Amino acid sequence: MTKVLIIYASDYGSTQKMAEAVAAGVETVENAKAQILQAEDVKQEDLLASNAVIVGTPTHMGSPDWRIKQFIDQVCGPLWMKDALVGKVAAVFGTASGFGSSGGGSELTLLTLLSNFAELGMILIPLPKNTPGFAKAGLQWGPCARTGDENLTPIGVSDEKLEAARHHGANVARAAMALKDTSIFRA
Ligand SMILES: Cc1cc2nc3c(=O)[nH]c(=O)nc-3n(C[C@H](O)[C@H](O)[C@H](O)COP(=O)(O)O)c2cc1C
């Protein structure tokens, strides 16, 4: 069984909806199992027991939610000291309400998280632009749904914006399956 852990923070439910779509995508892959946890509930053991981690965040002031940063610093940090996550697969997703097709600062937000996972020696999975749903809610860094309209009125995440998230989950599950018994990085 290939285990994919989906970690998120959400105040108003949009990023949670994306997390559930990512998990549904993972579960379309045979022999892949998804587990969803809120960032503040994740323990080191959860990460160690997983083959892949997919982290989702709302964009807050052009950067990740503070609970995600707390998870990175307090849960992942000690594992960085031991190189315990090296070679596991990592990917990201998000939501943002602001300007542009996916939200102001969302690229920077997702890149910040990918940078964290590169620090941890993880194998990063992007979102190819030929992914179904990419045009509605995709960035090359991962699926990202815009949750506000032109006037920044909250509109949530429509089903069409979840398609890329579902595919991302399936992509990451397949990547984790292909890589889990290999040892790419050798000390
Ligand atoms: C404190 C705060 C800061 C935010 N900053 C940004 C921002 O910089 N850019 C943006 O596009 N949206 C910003 N937003 C909007 C959220 O990213 C957006 O509403 C998101 O979809 C909320 O996700 P949630 O429903 O999972 O909580 C901000 C929201 C909050 C509460």
Side-chain angles (χ1 to χ4, degrees):
M1 183 64 69
T2 298
K3 294 183 186 169
V4 181
L5 178 60
I6 296 138
I7 298 166
Y8 73 96
S10 182
D11 290 317
Y12 304 106
S14 291
T15 314
Q16 179 177 355
K17 211 167 164 184
M18 291 283 280
E20 288 162 359
V22 169
V26 168
E27 301 264 345
T28 63
V29 177
E30 200 177 347
N31 292 324
K33 177 96 190 110
Q35 181 187 11
I36 305 183
L37 288 175
Q38 294 190 50
E40 55 268 49
D41 295 333
V42 181
K43 303 203 169 20
Q44 288 185 10
E45 306 83 83
D46 299 315
L47 294 169
L48 295 172
S50 301
N51 304 105
V53 177
I54 314 179
V55 175
T57 183
T59 292
H60 281 178
M61 306 303 292
S63 56
D65 182 288
W66 67 272
R67 291 162 291 192
I68 298 293
K69 179 62 173 158
Q70 183 180 58
F71 153 73
I72 295 287
D73 287 2
Q74 296 187 348
V75 183
C76 298
L79 296 173
W80 175 86
M81 303 290 285
K82 301 178 199 163
D83 296 321
L85 300 180
V86 170
K88 288 183 188 283
V89 166
V92 299
F93 62 95
T95 66
S97 71
F99 300 92
S101 64
S102 61
S106 52
E107 287 211 48
L108 196 54
T109 298
L110 295 190
L111 274 169
T112 299
L113 283 180
L114 289 175
S115 166
N116 295 148
F117 296 130
E119 282 280 344
L120 290 157
M122 302 178 82
I123 300 166
L124 311 180
I125 304 299
L127 186 73
K129 74 172 170 49
N130 64 352
T131 305
F134 186 94
K136 295 285 179 195
L139 291 170
Q140 66 273 44
W141 317 118
C144 190
R146 182 174 178 185
T147 61
D149 69 9
E150 289 77 4
N151 302 312
L152 301 186
T153 303
I155 53 172
V157 183
S158 59
D159 191 57
E160 64 180 1
K161 290 186 183 170
L162 297 172
E163 190 176 17
R166 284 191 285 268
H167 281 271
H168 197 47
N171 292 346
V172 173
R174 282 188 289 266
M177 199 168 283
L179 293 168
K180 74 177 182 176
D181 295 323
T182 64
S183 164
I184 293 175
F185 303 121
R186 299 185 188 177

